[in-house]
Amino acid sequence: EVQLVESGGDLVQPGGSLRLSCAASGFSFSSYYMSWVRQAPGKGLEWVSGISRGGAITRYADIVKGRFTISRDNAKNTLYLQMNSLQPEDTAVYYCAAGDIGRGQGTQVTVSS
């Protein structure tokens, strides 16, 4: 069974930083392209970032480029998202996704003063 468990969400002030983690199990983590997506209140899912199986290739939505960094540790079956210079518009539930085989339950990120 595919399991993806996100953690690290919190309430943070504008300009602050957070590091999200996603612990994966039940599938061959290193064989899958991994992504972070988010859903803001009242809005649809928005793709944020993706990383290749080996971690060498990363992609970002324009709105987070230069502020967020995606990475993975295949030895630990864990995906990360380092988020810097957070803004109120980054407020959302953040999900990790493994290719098209599964998505976690999400972790809440709230950016507010």
Side-chain angles (χ1 to χ4, degrees), residues 1-4 26-29 31-37 45 47 49-51 53 72 79 95-104:
E1 178 187 2
V2 173
Q3 286 199 325
L4 296 162
F27 66 102
S28 179
F29 179 75
S31 297
Y32 283 84
Y33 186 93
M34 297 295 295
S35 300
W36 286 98
V37 297
L45 278 175
W47 176 81
S49 181
I51 188 167
R53 290 173 293 178
R72 66 192 297 164
L79 177 72
Y95 303 90
C96 65
D100 58 356
I101 66 168
R103 192 175 78 208

Side-chain angles (χ1 to χ4, degrees), residues 29-110:
F29 179 75
S30 61
S31 297
Y32 283 84
Y33 186 93
M34 297 295 295
S35 300
W36 286 98
V37 297
R38 68 187 184 185
Q39 187 166 24
K43 297 188 177 181
L45 278 175
E46 176 185 32
W47 176 81
V48 174
S49 181
I51 188 167
S52 61
R53 290 173 293 178
I57 300 171
T58 57
R59 295 176 60 224
Y60 299 91
D62 286 345
I63 198 170
V64 307
K65 199 172 293 182
R67 300 188 297 124
F68 291 9
T69 302
I70 190 171
S71 62
R72 66 192 297 164
D73 186 336
N74 286 343
K76 295 182 178 180
N77 287 353
T78 303
L79 177 72
Y80 303 99
L81 186 68
Q82 177 66 44
M83 305 187 296
N84 299 329
S85 301
L86 284 162
Q87 300 301 317
E89 53 266 33
D90 295 315
T91 294
V93 177
Y94 284 72
Y95 303 90
C96 65
D100 58 356
I101 66 168
R103 192 175 78 208
Q105 294 299 305
T107 186
Q108 176 71 49
V109 172
T110 302

